[in-house]
Each structure stands twice: as structure tokens, then as C-alpha cells.
Amino acid sequence: MERQPFLSQPGRDYGINNPGYIPAAAGTPAMFAPPVAESIGPTAPPASMFDNMPGYEGTVAGGGGFLPPPMPTFPAAQPEPALDQPQWNIPSISENTARDALLLFVKSKCCYSSAPAKDGVITNMEAFNTYRYRLDTFTESRSTEWSHEPYTGQTVDAYAQQPPGPWDLPAKTPQFFLDDKQFIKVPYTSSVKPCHNCLGIGRKPCKDCAGAGNKVCWVCNGSCYRHGNDRCTHCSGRGRENCSSCHGQGSRQCDICNGKQQLLVYIKLTVKWTNNSDAYVVEQLSGLRVENLSKVSGKELFRDTQYMVYPLSGFPDTSVVSASQRLVSEHQGKYMQTSRILQQRQIIELIPITKVTYTWKGKSNIYFVYGNEFKVDADDYPATCCCTVM
């Protein structure tokens, strides 16, 4: 007759006094009932676990899309042009600044001679200033999902009264233009349900031993003996040893309800603040590699912060004006569909780029000075040497 599987119990003896144990002769593997296969519970809460809450009928486990904000009761104030459009003064660097930048660059190179930087004669300095226009739109979006946590006596208030709408719950707004997130338990949506993972038992069969509470002894491989008739001292001749994961119990605490058997089920509101940023960089034709510009900062020329900004006007580079008009229109059309715009900000930065031409020993050379940091690019520096190790 085939022996039926058995579940281990706390304190149960798996040695020779265990009725499920069949003694084995020397060199013969110990015979034990096969372990119970782990019962497979639902991987996600069933839909029937969630109540039908007024105003939250479309809420599901795992969350859905963002909820559009309600239409404002009063029309929003229209954006206005900045009161003081600045005089767009374009700064330039001096010859001394250009020479000092090259000298500092040469000092950072172990095998560059400083002679060209010191003695070279600057013959021309040409500015190829590049502008960065950036538009930031700081938004608040809200989404809901059914959530749960182990029930340990928390307030149960489902159907006590109508839950407030997702956009009616107050949230603490963080500093503008910094991403943040807040989670809020929606009032009057909490109820208690049996845990779907362990079916309200509080424990699940151990995965490591499949619920048996023991495993084949790794020292004697289940034979009960090590050498000839020497009984295995590791498992005391049982051929098996207690499972270390479940301490021989055959089951482990449910990791969903933490052994509490019940879950507090509620609607969780996620409030997300996002700084949505887009930038436009004016093309520059100096010959400097574009990737160099990502390593430097620019000088801020203009900043305008309002609830809604008005596109730029009067800037000397018309492509920046066009970019401002396009991005402002795109942001206000795009983000108002799924979120609430709290603040907008537009910034213009100047990244100074100066192409310097100089002569040394009768030959003409060039280098670039760029960014607030006065970084230098001098690929054709005329006095370099190769250092070799003999």
C-alpha cells in the first residue's frame, strides 16, 4: 500500500519513534513519505475582495491611470507678459580671461608646454554664444488603487459615510519644481477581509521542504550511515534533518498578512508632484563639439515664474522666441488633461563660447573657451609631447 504524505507539526519527532519512519538497513536510503506539495494560493486579490465604493467604482488593485482634476469653479487668471522685459546684453570675455583659461588648461596636462599659452599672440576672438531655453511645468496628479495591509485593529469605517472624492482630500504641497509623492488612505473605504494568500489560516506550507518539515540529510544522503555501519551523527541515524527555513514546522508565516489571518482593505490615493521640463538649445556653428556643452553651466539671463507663463517676446534670437511659444502651448495643452498645473517657470541661460585664434612660432592655432567655468578645448595645441616609460 502506498504510504500517504504527512505534514510536519511543531515538536514532532522524525526519528525512529516516528510512526511514519521506516528503518533502513546500512547503505539503504531512509524511506519517508514524500513531502506535501505546496498549496498554491491566488497571486493577486480576487475582485470580489473589494467593495463597491461610491465615487471610486473604477478603482482596481494595482492602480489605473491618473484621474483628471475637476473643472475649476472660477476661470483661472490668464498669463501675462513679464512686466520688465530685460535688455538682452550679451556678455563677452576679455583677452586676459581667454589667456588665463588656456594656461590653466595646460597646467592640467602633464606633457603640455606652457610656452604657447604664455607667448602666443591672440589675433582674433569670436563669440558663438549658445542659448538654452527651459520651460518647467510643476504639476500635481492623483490616482487611486485598492490596497491592503495586515489587520491589527485599525479603524474599519467602510460605508460609515460617503468617502470624499480623490481631488477633495487635502495634501501637503512640497516645494515647487521638486518631484515628490504622498500616499493617503481614503477615509470611509476600510474593511476587513480574510487573507487571500493563506486563505485566512495565517501560515503557508514551507517552500524549501514542501511542507514536510524535514529534508534528506546532506551528510549521509538519507542512508542513515556514513561509513559501513557507522550511524550518521549529523542526523542521528534518521536519514533526514529538520528544515532550517521553517524550523521543522512544515509551514511558514504568511508574508501578506504577517500571520494575522485578516487584511485591512482600503483605497489608497497616490498624490504625485512632477516637474515636467523641456529645453531648447540654439545651434552653434563655432566648431566646438556639442557634447562639450553638457559639461558646463550657463549664465542665467532671464527667469519668469507664474501660475501660467506667457511666451517670450523681444529676445534677440528669434528661434528662442519660437521655442518658447511652442513649448508653452504644448505644456498647457498636455498637462492640463491629466493633472493640475501649480506653477510654471521659464529660464534662458547663455552658454558663452569664444573661439580664440592665436599665433605661435609663425603658425596660427585656435582653441575654445566655453561655459561659466571657462573650460578649454584645444585639440590642436602646438606643444605637446608623448611620455613613454623605458
Side-chain angles (χ1 to χ4, degrees), residues 252-264:
R252 302 176 67 177
Q253 179 177 282
C254 173
D255 56 2
I256 299 297
C257 68
N258 291 343
K260 302 301 182 183
Q261 303 179 348
Q262 293 179 308
L263 296 173
L264 182 75

Side-chain angles (χ1 to χ4, degrees), residues 161-321:
Q161 65 180 67
Q162 176 93 11
W167 284 94
D168 296 329
L169 287 166
K172 185 178 180 180
T173 304
Q175 183 178 342
F176 281 174
F177 305 111
L178 293 179
D179 291 355
D180 204 350
K181 187 181 290 187
Q182 183 179 347
F183 301 104
I184 301 174
K185 186 180 294 183
V186 178
Y188 312 116
T189 64
S190 299
S191 60
V192 177
K193 308 288 184 181
C195 177
H196 62 279
N197 188 52
C198 63
L199 305 180
I201 299 174
R203 301 185 69 84
K204 296 199 72 178
C206 175
K207 292 181 180 179
D208 289 350
C209 65
N214 59 86
K215 300 178 181 179
V216 173
C217 174
W218 67 272
V219 176
C220 67
N221 198 28
S223 69
C224 306
Y225 296 87
R226 296 189 61 182
H227 305 290
N229 293 325
D230 293 338
R231 185 176 293 273
C232 177
T233 57
H234 181 76
C235 63
S236 300
R238 295 181 301 168
R240 300 182 72 86
E241 57 182 321
N242 282 355
C243 174
S244 59
S245 296
C246 64
H247 305 291
Q249 297 185 46
S251 64
R252 302 176 67 177
Q253 179 177 282
C254 173
D255 56 2
I256 299 297
C257 68
N258 291 343
K260 302 301 182 183
Q261 303 179 348
Q262 293 179 308
L263 296 173
L264 182 75
V265 180
Y266 58 92
I267 293 178
K268 180 174 71 175
L269 172 69
T270 301
V271 186
K272 187 177 181 180
W273 293 276
T274 307
N275 185 40
N276 306 278
S277 184
D278 279 299
Y280 168 79
V281 180
V282 178
E283 184 179 1
Q284 51 89 20
L285 303 174
S286 66
L288 177 67
R289 291 186 296 270
V290 175
E291 56 266 25
N292 286 19
L293 300 181
S294 63
K295 305 172 185 177
V296 297
S297 61
K299 178 180 180 180
E300 187 174 302
L301 299 180
F302 175 72
R303 176 184 292 254
D304 175 29
T305 303
Q306 301 184 56
Y307 161 61
M308 294 278 199
V309 298
Y310 195 85
L312 290 176
S313 62
F315 191 72
D317 192 311
T318 57
S319 67
V320 174
V321 175

